[in-house]
Amino acid sequence: MDKITVDNVELVLSHPLTFNVEWIGLNEPLRQLQACWLVLAESDLPLTPRIIGFPGIGKTTLGIAAARVRKQEVYVMQCTSDTRPEDLLVTPVLSESGKISYHASPLLSAVITGGVAILDEGNRMSEKSWASLAGLFDNRRTVESIVAGITVTAHKDFRAAVTMNDDSSTFEIPDYIMSRLQPGIQIPFPSRSDEMKILSFNLPFSEPQILEMCVEYLQKAHALDLPFSVRDGINAVRYTMKMNHADPGLETAELFRNAIRQILGEDALDLESLAARRKLSGSKIPSMNLGDYFFPEDEDLNPDNDEDFQA
Ligand SMILES: Nc1ncnc2c1ncn2[C@@H]1O[C@H](COP(=O)(O)OP(=O)(O)O)[C@@H](O)[C@H]1O
Ligand SMILES: [Mg+2]
């Protein structure tokens, strides 16, 4: 375990990610993120953008890939509704000998070592936790851990981005925090050829016929503004391939339909009527929302959690 001493307090650092990702197609969001992290003059500061888009569209992948282009270590900090301020910085751990050791979070490890921190699903985190980071994301670039009694100024190479789902199943982040997390980088649905490249890259062993079927399906869903993503597609192709292997006698198209049914639900088999009903669900009766019929209430894919679909 790597350790470092700050203000006479010894900290155990988190491990950076070890795996590599590659960003395929869609140059614009990658270019925007790289631009945010540039520092143009002595007095300039990097920006900490929000990477926004539907679940499974590639937000986390984009953040990691952009850090890899800069040849920096990446630390992913998973944010949840019960992430506390100390989880974001330093957690005291009682060892067997009865001594307390202080563990730096992935975020603080990036701050100290000059890595890239991806605050993943940042929209799920409470205002209280965000408040503890206000000074880190403005010109102070400083953060204070009450638990360890230390104040840390970020390494000059420290960079960060926050991923956020495009839905409302989350906390409202207050304006004074939002003003520090700028700009917003939106990841759009990929074009047909990019989507094919992304799927083939992630599923190099898969049959072209199944990939083709999947791209066709996803493109149709995107055109109808349904929130089905690359991740759903990857899962559907994987499952189709496995079922095909388990039972080679069955028709591939039928296996793909079954995969969609089991992954996205019965209604996802008829995209047009699903889209039409989602539009109607704007005039909704409480607890009778369309999404509740086929997605758990708090699920990312539940269209009722998506502001775009609320009239
Ligand atoms: N442009 C892309 N290039 C490479 N892989 C992608 C791309 N977009 C999506 N993916 C793949 O889609 C899946 C979901 O991406 P992820 O970054 O986890 O989505 P999100 O963070 O938005 O939920 C991952 O397996 C990822 O590899
Ligand atoms: Mg993610």
Side-chain angles (χ1 to χ4, degrees):
M1 274 184 295
D2 283 343
K3 292 182 181 168
I4 198 163
T5 303
V6 178
D7 289 352
N8 292 323
V9 176
E10 189 179 66
L11 295 174
V12 178
L13 295 173
S14 297
H15 295 290
L17 284 190
T18 49
F19 67 89
N20 250 328
V21 302
E22 208 173 308
W23 184 252
I24 314 280
L26 293 168
N27 272 323
E28 197 50 29
L30 182 60
R31 223 157 50 90
Q32 292 175 357
L33 182 50
Q34 287 178 296
C36 287
W37 287 345
L38 291 177
V39 171
L40 303 177
E42 193 73 27
S43 57
D44 191 18
L45 291 171
L47 291 162
T48 299
R50 287 165 289 126
I51 304 173
I52 308 156
F54 284 121
I57 200 147
K59 298 180 296 297
T60 311
T61 306
L62 176 70
I64 298 170
R68 292 289 184 229
V69 174
R70 292 174 57 89
K71 305 209 177 341
Q72 283 184 264
E73 296 285 13
V74 192
Y75 295 81
V76 176
M77 181 90 222
Q78 195 61 48
C79 303
T80 69
S81 53
D82 45 32
T83 299
R84 300 161 304 170
E86 58 264 39
D87 301 329
L88 286 171
L89 301 169
V90 178
T91 311
V93 177
L94 193 61
S95 70
E96 272 176 31
S97 65
K99 245 185 91 187
I100 288 180
S101 62
Y102 292 101
H103 288 237
S105 70
L107 170 63
L108 189 65
S109 300
V111 168
I112 292 172
T113 62
V116 172
I118 308 296
L119 288 160
D120 214 11
E121 314 262 345
N123 50 327
R124 297 184 186 281
M125 201 158 71
S126 70
E127 171 174 358
K128 190 169 173 212
S129 294
W130 272 115
S132 65
L133 301 182
L136 182 61
F137 296 129
D138 62 26
N139 52 8
R140 291 171 282 174
R141 281 180 59 89
T142 297
V143 73
E144 189 186 351
S145 161
I146 308 283
V147 171
I150 56 170
T151 302
V152 181
T153 300
H155 188 289
K156 69 173 180 26
D157 293 332
F158 168 67
R159 300 288 186 274
V162 184
T163 76
M164 296 195 172
N165 279 332
D166 221 354
D167 63 34
S168 56
S169 60
T170 53
F171 285 104
E172 280 279 309
I173 298 182
D175 288 347
Y176 78 97
I177 293 297
M178 281 302 255
S179 68
R180 288 163 166 83
L181 307 177
Q182 298 294 353
I185 297 175
Q186 185 86 40
I187 305 190
F189 289 126
S191 67
R192 181 176 290 268
S193 70
D194 280 346
E195 193 138 57
M196 181 49 97
K197 283 187 219 150
I198 297 168
L199 287 182
S200 335
F201 175 79
N202 284 283
L203 304 155
F205 50 86
S206 120
E207 280 164 34
Q209 186 207 352
I210 302 178
L211 291 180
E212 200 58 63
M213 231 179 266
C214 186
V215 169
E216 182 64 34
Y217 178 83
L218 288 175
Q219 287 292 314
K220 196 167 164 191
H222 302 336
L224 292 163
D225 236 352
L226 290 166
F228 299 154
S229 67
V230 177
R231 185 186 292 128
D232 299 322
I234 292 175
N235 286 334
V237 172
R238 248 190 235 288
Y239 188 45
T240 306
M241 293 286 294
K242 289 180 199 305
M243 287 302 288
N244 199 16
H245 189 83
D247 192 350
L250 286 176
E251 183 92 41
T252 321
E254 195 48 37
L255 290 175
F256 181 74
R257 276 177 66 80
N258 275 334
I260 292 297
R261 181 185 287 119
Q262 283 182 256
I263 291 168
L264 296 172
E266 185 72 35
D267 299 72
L269 291 175
D270 185 349
L271 292 173
E272 271 100 2
S273 55
L274 176 59
R277 278 179 293 153
R278 283 171 57 108
K279 286 231 165 64
L280 278 179
S281 77
S283 57
K284 58 189 184 183
I285 307 159
S287 83
M288 287 285 281
N289 300 337
L290 175 68
D292 295 336
Y293 291 112
F294 49 96
F295 296 118
E297 204 177 340
D298 56 355
E299 153 80 60
D300 283 337
L301 284 172
N302 187 327
D304 301 314
N305 290 334
D306 186 343
E307 269 164 353
D308 286 347
F309 295 93
Q310 321 265 308

